């Protein structure tokens, strides 16, 4: 009886384990289905970030701009340091001397105010005992005129500071243009996904028709294979577009130096309009790199003056207060002051200073040539970007008209194929023409916005316009 009970128990226990295993499988299946159902919903509600928001984030967080800000701060400190040369300098010294040289011992005693009538004895004067002296010296040095060196260094530092500030503003526009281009690429990838989805739906319909006709005996099996190949290529294009979209969003996060999680970009706006003559008129006034070059030319001219000052007279004043003691540092058994005015004039017989000054003039002349080239190049950049804008506009209009024509052509050939009056090859060629026109429209719209951005960048008004 016990044996029968045990057998029954183990049978029931085994059934229970099987039921639990089935239950676990059911739960896993349900969770898997829910995950595939819910995850797409999350993507539907992903936050959409506009171009203006990205541009604002870039101006705030971009690492290149932050590095430039540190360079400007360093230049500002250098400017203040140059101004500091106008002020007097204090110098504190403590000197320890020990000697038995008659003149030195004589001087030590005088400075320590310990000289007496006995010290005039010939023997003591000629063969004195060694003596120690602690001298504390506080000196004030004041430059009066150093050949114009200080004034030139201050002007040089100020011009360099202004140049860096102008270059920073230009760098801001360049960073904004990078963000703009990255955003356009993200939009292109996003819209390419939509185009591939339309292509997949239409390719699936072609495949369905080909299979139906093949089963009815009115089409070849090769038609089915051609339709399947086209469908697979459309799916491949979709995967590429998705990967590029993901990469484009990572690039945007890199440029703004901010992790944004799951987000979407906005669709492309309408065709941007531009007043090209206004841009040309304001270009020289607004291009910050042109202004920066003007300041760099001033910097180089002041560098010439700084170098040349080495061959000019240097006049400075000084005042020294001294304490002298036999036994202790900073002692004051004797004290006194010294005032003076000095003139120094160096003559470089090897003409080293003169050659360096001439080199600075050559550098200044080089910058002036670059300045003229930049002015001419600005107008060329505007013309080039405007030409690309016009070409993209023509391409956009052409693509739109081809989409309309290709859509109608595809509809007609599909009907003819269903009736056995057209080949599958003709149908897929028509589908390919439509897909190409759709993609070219997207590319042209992206090129339009990119050319618009390049015009604004060349005119120095990108930040203002956006």
């Amino acid at each position: 009886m016990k044996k029968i009970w045990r057998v029954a128990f183990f049978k029931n226990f085994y059934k229970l384990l099987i039921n639990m295993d089935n239950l676990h499988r059911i739960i896993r299946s349900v969770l898997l289905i829910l995950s595939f159902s819910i995850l797409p919903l999350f993507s539907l509600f992903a936050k959409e970030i506009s171009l203006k928001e990205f541009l604002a984030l870039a101006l705030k967080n971009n690492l290149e701009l932050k590095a430039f800000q540190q360079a400007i701060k360093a230049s500002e400190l250098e400017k203040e340091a140059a101004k500091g040369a106008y002020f007097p300098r204090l110098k504190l010294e403590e000197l320890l001397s020990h000697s038995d040289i008659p003149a030195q011992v004589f001087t030590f005693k005088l400075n320590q105010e310990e000289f007496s009538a006995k010290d005039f004895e010939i023997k003591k004067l000629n063969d004195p005992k060694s003596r120690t002296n602690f001298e504390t010296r506080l000196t004030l040095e004041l430059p009066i005129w150093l050949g114009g060196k200080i004034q030139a260094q201050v002007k040089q530092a100020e011009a360099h500071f202004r140049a860096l500030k102008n270059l920073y503003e230009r760098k801001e526009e360049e960073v904004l243009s990078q963000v703009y281009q990255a955003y356009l690429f993200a939009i292109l990838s996003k819209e390419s996904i939509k185009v591939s989805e339309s292509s997949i739906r239409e390719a699936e319909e072609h495949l369905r028709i080909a299979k139906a006709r093949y089963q009815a005996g009115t089409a070849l099996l090769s038609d089915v294979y051609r339709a399947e190949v086209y469908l697979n290529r459309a799916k491949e294009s979709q995967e590429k577009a998705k990967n590029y979209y993901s990469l484009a969003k990572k690039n945007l996060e890199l440029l703004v130096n901010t992790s944004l999680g799951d987000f979407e970009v906005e669709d492309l706006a309408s065709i941007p309009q531009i007043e090209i003559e206004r841009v040309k008129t304001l270009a020289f006034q607004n291009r910050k790199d042109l202004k920066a070059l003007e300041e760099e030319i001033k910097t180089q001219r002041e560098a010439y003056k700084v170098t040349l000052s080495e061959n000019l007279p240097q006049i400075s004043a000084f005042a020294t207060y001294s304490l002298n003691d036999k036994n202790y540092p900073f002692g004051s058994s004797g004290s006194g002051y010294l005032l003076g005015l000095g003139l120094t004039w160096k003559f470089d017989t090897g003409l080293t200073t003169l050659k360096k000054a001439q080199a600075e003039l050559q550098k200044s002349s080089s910058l002036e040539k670059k300045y003229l080239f930049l002015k001419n190049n600005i107008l060329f950049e505007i013309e080039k970007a405007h030409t690309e804008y016009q070409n993209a506009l023509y391409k956009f209009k052409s693509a739109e008209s081809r989409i309309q024509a290709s859509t109608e052509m595809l509809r007609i050939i599909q009907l003819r194929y269903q009736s056995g009056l057209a080949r599958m090859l003709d149908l897929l060629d028509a589908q390919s023409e439509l897909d190409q026109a759709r993609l070219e429209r997207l590319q042209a719209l992206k090129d339009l916005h990119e050319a618009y951005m390049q015009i604004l960048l060349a005119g120095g008004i990108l930040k203002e316009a956006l």
Side-chain angles (χ1 to χ4, degrees):
M1 187 71 181
K2 287 182 178 179
K3 187 176 182 181
I4 294 172
W5 181 84
R6 286 176 182 171
V7 171
F9 172 77
F10 283 114
K11 283 183 178 180
N12 292 330
F13 183 71
Y14 181 69
K15 288 180 180 178
L16 179 62
L17 289 176
I18 292 174
N19 290 334
M20 288 180 68
D21 185 56
N22 291 334
L23 180 62
H24 289 156
R25 289 178 180 175
I26 292 170
I27 292 173
R28 283 198 300 269
S29 300
V30 170
L31 290 175
L32 190 61
I33 292 170
L34 286 175
S35 66
F36 281 110
S37 302
I38 293 173
L39 284 176
L41 292 176
F42 282 113
S43 63
L44 290 174
F45 294 102
K47 58 185 176 182
E48 194 173 72
I49 303 178
S50 67
L51 173 60
K52 285 190 174 182
E53 289 176 292
F54 269 109
L55 296 177
L57 281 172
L59 291 176
K60 181 180 178 182
N61 298 326
N62 181 267
L63 288 177
E64 283 189 283
L65 293 181
K66 286 182 179 292
F68 221 116
Q69 289 167 4
Q70 296 299 314
I72 291 175
K73 184 63 178 176
S75 179
E76 186 176 15
L77 292 172
E78 288 173 354
K79 181 184 69 172
E80 297 303 317
K83 290 180 180 178
Y86 283 121
F87 294 89
R89 293 186 178 185
L90 281 173
K91 182 168 64 174
L92 178 64
E93 298 172 280
E94 180 66 29
L95 304 175
L96 170 62
S97 303
H98 186 80
S99 177
D100 63 352
I101 300 173
Q104 291 292 339
V105 173
F106 189 85
T107 303
F108 289 165
K109 284 186 176 183
L110 282 174
N111 290 340
Q112 293 167 6
E113 298 180 7
E114 293 186 4
F115 202 82
S116 64
K118 295 179 180 179
D119 292 314
F120 281 106
E121 294 179 7
I122 298 301
K123 183 178 181 181
K124 287 187 177 182
L125 286 173
N126 290 329
D127 188 21
K129 293 181 179 180
S130 62
R131 194 174 185 88
T132 300
N133 184 59
F134 290 95
E135 182 181 6
T136 304
R137 203 156 49 193
L138 181 64
T139 304
L140 179 70
E141 297 175 343
L142 177 64
I144 295 176
W145 193 72
L146 303 181
K149 183 177 184 178
I150 296 176
Q151 293 86 341
Q153 284 178 330
V154 170
K155 290 179 181 178
Q156 183 183 17
E158 288 175 342
H160 182 63
F161 176 68
R162 291 192 298 269
L164 274 183
K165 287 185 71 176
N166 282 313
L167 285 175
Y168 174 75
E169 292 186 45
R170 181 60 181 174
K171 188 63 179 179
E172 280 187 326
E173 291 205 321
E174 289 174 355
V175 169
L176 292 180
S177 70
Q178 291 173 7
V179 173
Y180 201 137
Q181 285 179 310
Y183 198 86
L184 289 175
F185 183 71
I187 293 173
L188 177 65
S189 301
K190 177 184 176 182
E191 295 299 321
S192 296
I193 295 173
K194 295 179 182 178
V195 169
S196 63
E197 287 173 351
S198 299
S199 179
I200 288 171
R201 285 195 301 269
E202 290 159 353
E204 286 173 343
E205 178 63 15
H206 301 333
L207 180 60
R208 185 193 65 80
I209 295 171
K211 285 180 176 179
R213 287 195 61 204
Y214 173 70
Q215 290 172 357
T218 58
L220 299 173
L221 182 59
S222 60
D223 287 358
V224 176
Y225 289 148
R226 282 196 177 98
E228 285 179 346
V229 168
Y230 196 92
L231 176 60
N232 289 331
R233 285 179 178 171
K235 289 179 179 179
E236 179 186 340
S237 298
Q238 184 185 50
E239 285 303 312
K240 282 184 180 179
K242 287 179 179 179
N243 292 334
Y244 280 133
Y245 186 40
S246 176
L247 185 63
K249 290 194 287 186
K250 288 178 181 177
N251 188 28
L252 283 168
E253 288 183 318
L254 174 65
L255 289 171
V256 300
N257 190 34
T258 306
S259 180
L260 299 168
D262 191 20
F263 69 93
E264 298 292 327
V265 296
E266 290 182 339
D267 295 337
L268 276 175
S270 56
I271 298 174
Q273 302 298 319
I274 191 72
E275 297 178 22
I276 193 66
E277 293 303 322
R278 176 177 174 272
V279 175
K280 289 180 180 179
T281 304
L282 298 176
F284 294 154
Q285 176 183 335
N286 292 324
R287 278 289 291 260
K288 297 301 180 181
D289 51 343
L290 190 65
K291 292 184 178 296
L293 201 48
E294 290 175 359
E295 297 297 337
E296 286 297 340
I297 292 172
K298 293 178 184 177
T299 300
Q300 205 58 51
R301 288 172 181 168
E302 295 302 327
Y304 165 75
K305 294 178 183 178
V306 170
T307 304
L308 200 60
S309 68
E310 297 296 329
N311 272 356
L312 297 176
Q314 316 278 318
I315 303 173
S316 58
F318 65 91
T320 301
Y321 186 76
S322 300
L323 300 175
N324 292 272
D325 195 271
K326 176 183 177 182
N327 301 312
Y328 305 105
F330 300 101
S332 58
S333 61
S335 62
Y337 68 87
L338 175 67
L339 301 178
L341 188 66
L343 170 65
T344 304
W345 198 345
K346 298 178 183 178
F347 296 94
D348 180 14
T349 57
L351 302 180
T352 302
T353 302
L354 186 60
K355 295 297 182 183
K356 285 182 178 180
Q358 290 175 342
E360 298 295 348
L361 283 179
Q362 291 300 318
K363 291 176 184 178
S364 178
S365 178
S366 173
L367 288 176
E368 288 171 1
K369 297 295 188 297
K370 289 181 180 179
Y371 179 80
L372 292 175
F373 173 78
L374 182 57
K375 286 186 72 174
N376 294 331
N377 193 54
I378 286 171
L379 295 177
F380 174 74
E381 286 177 359
I382 295 173
E383 286 292 341
K384 179 183 176 183
H386 187 238
T387 300
E388 290 172 352
Y389 176 87
Q390 291 175 317
N391 290 340
L393 182 60
Y394 181 82
K395 184 179 178 181
F396 177 78
K397 292 177 179 178
S398 172
E400 283 203 320
S401 64
R402 282 188 287 117
I403 287 174
Q404 294 177 356
S406 297
T407 302
E408 182 62 19
M409 182 175 67
L410 178 63
R411 185 187 67 81
I412 293 171
I413 293 179
Q414 189 176 52
L415 291 175
R416 288 175 60 82
Y417 179 76
Q418 288 175 332
S419 304
L421 301 175
R423 301 174 301 168
M424 172 56 71
L425 192 60
D426 298 328
L427 179 60
L428 295 181
D429 282 345
Q431 181 65 56
S432 179
E433 285 288 335
L434 178 58
D435 293 342
Q436 187 66 25
R438 286 168 174 167
L439 290 173
E440 286 181 0
R441 179 189 177 278
L442 286 178
Q443 184 64 49
L445 189 55
K446 172 185 173 291
D447 291 344
L448 266 171
H449 280 267
E450 192 167 342
Y452 168 75
M453 179 269 295
Q454 290 293 346
I455 292 172
L456 297 179
L457 180 64
I461 55 174
L462 180 61
K463 184 179 178 182
E464 173 191 334
L466 299 180

